[in-house]
Amino acid sequence: MTIWDDLTQGCCHLTQGYYYSTQGCIQASVERTVGRELSVADQEREGGVLEFVNLSVLVPILLSVMANYGFYPSGRFSEESFRATYEHGIWRYRVLGREAVLALDNAFSWILPADFGLRTQTLYASLPDYSPRFFFSLFVFNTIFLIATAALLNLAIGIRPRARYGQTKVLLSVLLVCLMVISGFKVTPYDNLGYACLCAAVLLTGKRWTLPLGHLLACLVIIVVGTASRESMALFLSFRFALALHEHGWRALWSSPKLRAFRIQFALLISAFLVTYLGLRLVLGRFEFINAWSTAGLLRPATFIGLAWALSLGFVVARVAWSPRFLLYLLVCSAPYLLTIFLAADLYELRLYVPLLLLIAMGSEWTQDPLGRPYKNSSLEK
């Protein structure tokens, strides 16, 4: 071997070493950059049982007490006025929450005096239809399902003991619980129950495109219960279809043999909703809808305030749970609900928009990667 060969071989080794060292530096730089993105934007750490209990139980209870006994909510706060409202009109179809509150008040009547309440001096104690114990029954019922909704929401977005998550999810959870409480300025027996059913159905199904028999039966029961509580349970069907579109695309969703079980099960879920929805109206009387639509009603200042609330809070939730394509699919699939509340509801009532905001937040758990970027379509679309 000549000196020239030795020199050439040395240069090759030197170049190869430089290449590998450069690759190592680039890899380390990428890892540091990704780590910095996660640590700065959303520092992940392992959650504990106490934090889960705090977010799922204590925060909802304290906010519920503050909203119901510290401010001036509107509603029907005696059994007589409660029955007069919720046993007539469109509200009579929302039977489950109404009957549950009446049963709870009847149970409390055996152990609590008629004037029992967390506070005797409330802002609405002088109202003619105010019954302290009945209002307490309504408060307990709604608080129980506010806790259930918060716990199910936290599990759905990844906040659970011994799981790693960032502070952004914690803030999102608190924001949505606060939103549920604030939007409950009109106290009803069906809103929180409906939210809980919606979250339970989403958590139960997730991205399982073929549900085990037990999960399918449980989901059917939840749909029946949720529809008997509030018609917005239909948004779960919109959510599941939008999630499937995001994951697989139109072509695979309609034609892929791998998704045949999904199509059959989804038809069963739709059937459960329609049978419950139509059955209640056939059993309890003729179809009734609130027809609040009018040009004068739409031009009220309160309408613009409600729309501004919905758009601003929707932007905040969507920005945190950012997945543009899934968001577009969800809004398109939810068009019947949005059209209904536009034509037949008071747009000032923020609680009308809460189910969609909950679904946007929960959907982000399955449509984003750890850095908040949307996942690509599955291979079934190809």
Side-chain angles (χ1 to χ4, degrees), residues 2-149:
T2 64
I3 297 178
W4 177 255
D5 292 334
D6 291 338
L7 184 59
T8 303
Q9 188 175 8
C11 290
C12 290
H13 286 306
L14 182 61
T15 303
Q16 189 176 15
Y18 176 76
Y19 170 78
Y20 284 120
S21 64
T22 304
Q23 289 293 101
C25 290
I26 293 174
Q27 181 67 24
S29 177
V30 170
E31 291 176 357
R32 284 196 303 270
T33 302
V34 173
R36 191 180 301 115
E37 287 186 51
L38 286 174
S39 62
V40 173
D42 192 9
Q43 294 182 1
E44 291 193 351
R45 54 180 178 73
E46 185 173 310
V49 175
L50 289 179
E51 183 173 47
F52 181 79
V53 171
N54 180 45
L55 292 173
S56 303
V57 181
L58 296 181
V59 169
I61 288 177
L62 295 176
L63 288 174
S64 184
V65 171
M66 183 186 301
N68 286 277
Y69 283 94
F71 298 99
Y72 200 147
S74 64
R76 301 295 180 263
F77 302 148
S78 68
E79 182 177 346
E80 294 76 16
S81 62
F82 185 85
R83 287 183 179 274
T85 298
Y86 294 113
E87 290 183 350
H88 300 85
I90 191 175
W91 296 285
R92 73 176 184 271
Y93 305 129
R94 302 168 183 177
V95 295
L96 194 58
R98 181 189 69 225
E99 297 302 323
V101 169
L102 292 171
L104 186 61
D105 181 63
N106 183 59
F108 281 149
S109 67
W110 290 87
I111 57 176
L112 298 176
D115 60 350
F116 178 83
L118 294 186
R119 291 181 64 194
T120 56
Q121 299 298 324
T122 60
L123 295 173
Y124 38 85
S126 60
L127 295 178
D129 68 336
Y130 176 68
S131 170
R133 189 187 63 219
F134 186 81
F135 179 74
F136 178 73
S137 302
L138 189 57
F139 158 76
V140 169
F141 179 80
N142 281 333
T143 303
I144 288 173
F145 284 99
L146 179 64
I147 293 171
T149 304

Side-chain angles (χ1 to χ4, degrees), residues 264-329:
I264 295 174
Q265 292 182 350
F266 189 70
L268 290 175
L269 299 181
I270 294 176
S271 301
F273 171 79
L274 291 177
V275 167
T276 307
Y277 181 85
L278 298 175
L280 285 171
R281 280 148 181 79
L282 291 174
V283 171
L284 298 178
R286 63 188 181 88
F287 287 69
E288 285 192 43
F289 298 93
I290 301 175
N291 189 13
W293 189 89
S294 67
T295 305
L298 288 177
L299 296 178
R300 290 184 308 152
T303 298
F304 292 102
I305 293 174
L307 290 174
W309 267 90
L311 292 174
S312 61
L313 290 171
F315 174 78
V316 172
V317 174
R319 183 65 185 88
V320 174
W322 185 241
S323 182
R325 188 176 57 184
F326 168 73
L327 182 59
L328 177 61
Y329 286 153

Side-chain angles (χ1 to χ4, degrees), residues 99-351:
E99 297 302 323
V101 169
L102 292 171
L104 186 61
D105 181 63
N106 183 59
F108 281 149
S109 67
W110 290 87
I111 57 176
L112 298 176
D115 60 350
F116 178 83
L118 294 186
R119 291 181 64 194
T120 56
Q121 299 298 324
T122 60
L123 295 173
Y124 38 85
S126 60
L127 295 178
D129 68 336
Y130 176 68
S131 170
R133 189 187 63 219
F134 186 81
F135 179 74
F136 178 73
S137 302
L138 189 57
F139 158 76
V140 169
F141 179 80
N142 281 333
T143 303
I144 288 173
F145 284 99
L146 179 64
I147 293 171
T149 304
L152 293 167
L153 171 67
N154 288 332
L155 292 173
I157 65 176
I159 297 178
R160 60 188 73 194
R162 294 185 296 278
R164 296 189 65 83
Y165 53 85
Q167 294 303 305
T168 303
K169 289 187 176 181
V170 174
L171 295 176
L172 180 62
S173 170
V174 174
L175 170 65
L176 289 170
V177 173
C178 288
L179 182 58
M180 285 185 279
V181 172
I182 294 172
S183 65
F185 57 81
K186 182 177 181 181
V187 182
T188 70
Y190 47 77
D191 282 327
N192 289 355
L193 176 58
Y195 301 152
C197 291
L198 196 63
C199 292
V202 170
L203 183 63
L204 183 66
T205 55
K207 288 180 72 174
R208 302 180 186 93
W209 307 119
T210 302
L211 298 175
L213 181 60
H215 285 204
L216 177 62
L217 293 177
C219 192
L220 291 172
V221 171
I222 292 172
I223 288 177
V224 171
V225 171
T227 308
S229 306
R230 186 179 174 185
E231 299 84 353
S232 58
M233 192 65 199
L235 286 174
F236 165 69
L237 302 174
S238 302
F239 173 87
R240 185 148 177 81
F241 192 73
L243 192 64
L245 279 178
H246 178 274
E247 182 73 12
H248 303 299
W250 287 96
R251 184 179 303 174
L253 194 58
W254 293 113
S255 60
S256 174
K258 295 182 180 179
L259 294 175
R260 182 173 180 272
F262 168 80
R263 293 191 288 270
I264 295 174
Q265 292 182 350
F266 189 70
L268 290 175
L269 299 181
I270 294 176
S271 301
F273 171 79
L274 291 177
V275 167
T276 307
Y277 181 85
L278 298 175
L280 285 171
R281 280 148 181 79
L282 291 174
V283 171
L284 298 178
R286 63 188 181 88
F287 287 69
E288 285 192 43
F289 298 93
I290 301 175
N291 189 13
W293 189 89
S294 67
T295 305
L298 288 177
L299 296 178
R300 290 184 308 152
T303 298
F304 292 102
I305 293 174
L307 290 174
W309 267 90
L311 292 174
S312 61
L313 290 171
F315 174 78
V316 172
V317 174
R319 183 65 185 88
V320 174
W322 185 241
S323 182
R325 188 176 57 184
F326 168 73
L327 182 59
L328 177 61
Y329 286 153
L330 180 60
L331 292 177
V332 171
C333 294
S334 305
Y337 176 81
L338 295 173
L339 183 62
T340 300
I341 64 175
F342 181 76
L343 295 178
D346 187 352
L347 299 179
Y348 180 70
E349 294 187 4
L350 187 60
R351 59 197 178 89

